[in-house]
Amino acid sequence: RFQVQSMIQGNITVFIDTDELPTDDWLERITEPIIDGSADFTYGSTSPLRKADNPFTRYLDKYDKYLYENILPNDITKGALGNSAWKTEIIQKVKFDPCLAMAGEDYDLTIRAIKAGYKGKYVKDAVLLHDRSNIRTLRKFVKKMFYNYQVGASLAYRKNGMLFKKARTSIKVNYRFRDPMEILIFMLKIPALIFSLMLNPWDDPRYCKKTFFSEN
């Protein structure tokens, strides 16, 4: 994402992941609030492309349902960049941070966009169909949850001084969601934090920002 941001053209930029398919009106729905001026960036929701056939995809589908019904309407920073639309000026001005090339650059972009005064909106009717058929083993599930979500979140939240605030919120979500798989997810959090410290051992969360701006 960092490498291609200089190539972006047009007033609105949309993101969709390679394991997702748009519904017929997705593009219209996801961009409408930006076009009518009620938001500067938007996040949509996802539905399973096919019925889950293993415990890992069942958990992910169940969590997504909980996320889009209970979390994202109240916390726009929990949106998935792979289902989002942005005023292009946000990408050009705020930019993806190369210090977070491994993971977490999407969390970081959202947080810094909000701090810069941009307004985000959740559009529940902007639906993508999510294909998780490749997640069939514990190894793939843990790898996805650990690197894509836990490590990325730790990097972004530490950088922006929000780690403890987000950790408290995460514990509440773990408790309220009440799925047995949450035990495993909770156990991944401490190793993910340690790994993020190994990748970027910032004592000052502004360190990566200084590196970022010096390179741009």
Side-chain angles (χ1 to χ4, degrees):
R1 290 164 178 158
F2 170 73
Q3 295 294 334
V4 302
Q5 63 185 355
S6 61
M7 305 176 190
I8 294 174
Q9 299 179 0
N11 296 325
I12 298 176
T13 301
V14 298
F15 293 94
I16 180 171
D17 283 345
T18 55
D19 59 355
E20 295 174 327
L21 295 172
T23 50
D24 291 341
D25 61 351
W26 171 76
L27 186 60
E28 178 183 356
R29 297 278 188 178
I30 198 71
T31 58
E32 184 177 6
I34 300 176
I35 293 172
D36 68 22
S38 61
D40 301 306
F41 65 93
T42 57
Y43 281 110
S45 63
T46 63
S47 291
L49 178 63
R50 52 177 59 88
K51 186 177 180 180
D53 59 359
N54 64 67
F56 312 116
T57 52
R58 276 193 291 271
Y59 166 81
L60 291 169
D61 290 347
K62 182 180 177 183
Y63 180 79
D64 273 2
K65 187 174 186 297
Y66 184 84
L67 169 70
Y68 295 122
E69 290 181 355
N70 300 281
I71 301 177
L72 197 54
N74 305 305
D75 184 1
I76 197 65
T77 66
K78 301 297 288 186
L81 192 72
N83 185 358
S84 66
W86 300 74
K87 283 185 176 179
T88 300
E89 70 176 69
I90 301 177
I91 310 297
Q92 294 171 334
K93 292 180 179 179
V94 179
K95 299 185 178 181
F96 290 110
D97 191 334
C99 295
L100 300 177
M102 177 184 177
E105 82 284 11
D106 47 355
Y107 294 108
D108 178 58
L109 178 68
T110 305
I111 293 169
R112 290 190 292 117
I114 292 171
K115 288 182 177 180
Y118 292 104
K119 180 182 178 182
K121 184 176 182 179
Y122 169 51
V123 186
K124 67 178 181 179
D125 296 328
V127 181
L128 290 178
L129 302 178
H130 206 160
D131 180 10
R132 292 192 169 107
S133 58
N134 65 318
I135 304 176
R136 295 183 172 276
T137 65
L138 177 62
R139 181 178 178 274
K140 287 188 175 181
F141 175 75
V142 170
K143 183 178 180 181
K144 181 179 182 67
M145 299 306 295
F146 184 76
Y147 290 106
N148 292 24
Y149 300 122
Q150 304 293 345
V151 174
S154 294
L155 289 168
Y157 296 156
R158 282 177 48 231
K159 174 189 169 183
N160 290 281
M162 301 174 66
L163 181 64
F164 294 108
K165 177 183 177 181
K166 290 293 186 179
R168 288 194 299 269
T169 302
S170 180
I171 291 172
K172 292 178 182 178
V173 171
N174 289 143
Y175 175 75
R176 291 171 181 169
F177 185 42
R178 295 180 180 274
D179 186 281
M181 198 74 77
E182 283 294 293
I183 298 173
L184 173 60
I185 303 303
F186 184 79
M187 291 172 62
L188 292 175
K189 293 184 184 298
I190 298 302
L193 175 59
I194 294 172
F195 190 65
S196 78
L197 286 164
M198 293 169 61
L199 289 172
N200 291 90
W202 311 309
D203 294 321
D204 184 339
R206 293 172 298 175
Y207 171 79
C208 197
K209 288 184 179 179
K210 290 178 181 177
T211 304
F212 172 46
F213 287 122
S214 67
E215 292 180 355
N216 291 273

